[in-house]
């Protein structure tokens, strides 16, 4: 297995970059008795000072961090365009690496990172933490258990109304844009959920608040057998569409929001097609009239247990040679290639078929 084995009882981890996400990792690692947070290093001295105020050791330099023998894993939480260079330096120094998402900017860079990990015999994986999200696992269960009958359509959306953030995320050179920022999570979830061959991709992007990078996008993935999966990220949505919407032949389910408000509605009587017609000023319809309550059944969404600490528990087990990494190279590569095709489809206006 991986050559850089744990020598003590706890796994020693250092974090490169102590910004928003570096702080999140620091808290998570500190909350787990089986891990030791050895320290952090940020190129911004003010961030190192904040770390010290928070009782965390701050290294004097990146090289000091990389030569600390207690550090078995380096978590890289810096802007996207620097992931390749910093992960490669850490792996060449013999450290196992957890890289933040998106792993890097394109599949060529990713291949270099994978090659470097293989050459140096170290773990290299990506923090696809949203695999542990309750909303995702709830819809995955509805799909996996075929609760709605044959599923033919899934829609996954995240909507905000604050435009693209004003930091490095709105700069192309830093790997900004919503496809790389949020798309990477939702597309990873889609590919983790659907164990079928992807047959086509169509995408369009938006530039409402920012010309330089996409501030939102919509893509429709079609899988073998015809299942469609829409993924949408928006930053100019003052009214949000549901986080998840899924349709099977016998019912639909919805998750409205992060708080998991939602329900499952199933048909209980297919034969009873009677409906009170909806009459509008210009016409009448029975087809689109709501069902009467006696022909449907409403159910709560299934309850799911999830714990993000399992991410780092897995890292520890991998380093100790006891488990395979959960977030695998080929999965990360599949998502990266899909994002490249989404950019291509949006640029050309064409459906990409496989
Ligand atoms: P941020 O701007 O808040 O923090 C980045 C920090 O990195 C800054 O403090 C900066 O000074 C430091 N930095 C920059 N270059 C550095 C270098 N070469 N060495 C050391 N420090 C350096 O950004 P963020 O929101 O923390 O995002 C960091 C990474 O985490 C990005 O890749 C982002 O996509 C990812 N992220 C992931 C999630 C998630 O849920 N998985 C959430 C937010 C951000």
């Amino acid at each position: 297995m991986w050559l850089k084995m744990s020598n003590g009882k706890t796994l020693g981890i250092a974090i490169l970059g102590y910004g928003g996400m570096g702080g999140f990792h620091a808290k998570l690692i500190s909350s787990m008795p089986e891990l030791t947070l050895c320290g952090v290093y940020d190129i911004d001295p003010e961030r190192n000072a904040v770390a010290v105020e928070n009782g965390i050791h701050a290294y004097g330099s990146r090289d000091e961090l990389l030569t600390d023998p207690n550090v078995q894993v380096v978590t890289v939480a810096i802007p996207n365009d620097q992931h390749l260079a910093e992960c490669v330096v850490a792996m060449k120094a013999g450290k196992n690496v957890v890289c933040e998402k998106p792993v890097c900017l394109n599949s060529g860079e990713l291949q270099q990172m994978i090659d470097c990990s293989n050459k140096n015999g170290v773990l290299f994986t990506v923090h696809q933490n949203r695999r542990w999200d309750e909303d995702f696992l709830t819809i995955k269960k509805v799909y996996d258990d075929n609760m709605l009958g044959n599923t033919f359509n899934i829609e996954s959306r995240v909507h905000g109304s604050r435009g693209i953030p004003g930091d490095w995320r709105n700069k192309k050179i830093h790997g900004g844009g919503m496809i790389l920022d949020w798309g990477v999570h939702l597309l990873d979830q889609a590919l983790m959920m659907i164990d079928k061959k992807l047959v086509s991709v169509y995408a369009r992007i938006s530039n409402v608040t920012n010309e330089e990078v996409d501030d939102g996008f919509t893509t429709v993935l079609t899988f073998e057998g015809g299942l469609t999966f829409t993924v949408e990220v928006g930053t100019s949505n003052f009214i949000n569409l549901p986080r998840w919407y899924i349709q099977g032949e016998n019912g639909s389910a919805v998750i409205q929001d992060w708080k998991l408000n939602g329900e499952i509605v199933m048909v209980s009587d297919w034969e009873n097609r009677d409906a009170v017609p909806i009459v509008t000023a210009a016409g009448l319809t029975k087809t689109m009239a709501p069902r009467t309550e006696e022909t449907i059944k409403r159910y709560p969404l299934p309850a799911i247990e999830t714990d993000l600490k399992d991410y780092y528990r897995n890292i520890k087990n991998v380093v100790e040679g006891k488990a395979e990494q959960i977030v695998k190279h080929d999965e990360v590569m599949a998502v990266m290639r899909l994002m490249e095709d989404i950019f291509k489809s949006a640029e050309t206006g064409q459906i990409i078929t496989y």
Side-chain angles (χ1 to χ4, degrees), residues 19-21 42-43 78-80 82-83 100-101 129 168-169:
M21 207 53 198
D42 196 294
I43 44 161
I78 60 180
N80 304 340
Q82 298 187 55
H83 290 182
E100 257 307 340
K101 52 50 60 174
N129 50 322
W168 53 266
R169 283 175 176 80

Side-chain angles (χ1 to χ4, degrees), residues 15-25 41-45 47 62 76-83 86 99-103 127-130 167-169 175 180-182 184-185:
I15 303 169
L16 192 67
Y18 189 63
M21 207 53 198
F24 179 90
H25 282 282
Y41 174 70
D42 196 294
I43 44 161
D44 178 355
R47 294 304 305 164
R62 184 215 37 207
V76 174
I78 60 180
N80 304 340
D81 56 319
Q82 298 187 55
H83 290 182
E86 295 300 324
C99 182
E100 257 307 340
K101 52 50 60 174
V103 60
H127 189 232
Q128 292 295 161
N129 50 322
R130 293 198 174 272
D167 55 7
W168 53 266
R169 283 175 176 80
L180 286 169
D181 192 50
W182 260 101
V184 68
H185 284 303

